Amino acid sequence: MAMTLICATLALMAQDVKPKDVPAKVKAALAKKYQAATKVNWEKEKGNYEANWGGKLGEDNSAVFTPAGEFVEIVNAIPINALSKAVAPYINEHYKTLIKEAGKVTDAKGTLTYEAEIKGKDLIFDENGKFLKVD
């Protein structure tokens, strides 16, 4: 039982992908939408492809595409203190931990949300700091 749970958890985590293993449609979609994306690192998560680029660690921007090359969302790294002031108290009350990273998320419809990474989870909030879901 425990081994099954560990395997299922590992299957859901992001896996590094070599550029040669990324479908041409996905690479073309990234190049068209984000021409400034250079030195891209690829991951596969939940069946989609995530392109990471920019910044010292190469993860200032993370754009997600389906295997067919359809844009899903982009996450732009932001300073933790740029999150709504309501986020930190919510996390402290419900998770009793510190925020590791923060991002501004824009999906294919243009909907804007914010994420706060804690203990391997991404907590999603609206622009006013209202908790929406765990991703």
Side-chain angles (χ1 to χ4, degrees), residues 20-53:
K20 69 178 181 71
D21 296 329
V22 177
K25 288 181 181 181
V26 174
K27 289 189 229 178
L30 174 69
K32 183 177 180 182
K33 190 158 183 73
Y34 301 104
Q35 291 115 16
T38 59
K39 297 181 183 175
V40 176
N41 294 313
W42 291 95
E43 294 179 356
K44 191 168 184 185
E45 186 174 359
K46 299 178 186 175
N48 291 322
Y49 291 88
E50 181 178 311
N52 300 293
W53 74 94

Side-chain angles (χ1 to χ4, degrees), residues 45-114:
E45 186 174 359
K46 299 178 186 175
N48 291 322
Y49 291 88
E50 181 178 311
N52 300 293
W53 74 94
K56 291 179 185 176
L57 301 176
E59 295 205 6
D60 277 358
N61 305 289
S62 298
V64 179
F65 295 87
T66 67
E70 296 171 16
F71 174 72
V72 176
E73 69 182 16
I74 185 163
V75 180
N76 303 108
I78 61 172
I80 293 169
N81 63 3
L83 290 168
S84 168
K85 300 298 180 211
V87 172
Y90 177 89
I91 291 173
N92 189 42
E93 179 181 340
H94 293 88
Y95 294 92
K96 298 187 183 358
T97 190
L98 297 174
I99 301 168
K100 293 171 94 176
E101 295 180 358
K104 179 174 77 170
V105 183
T106 307
D107 70 14
K109 296 176 185 176
T111 304
L112 179 65
T113 55
Y114 293 86

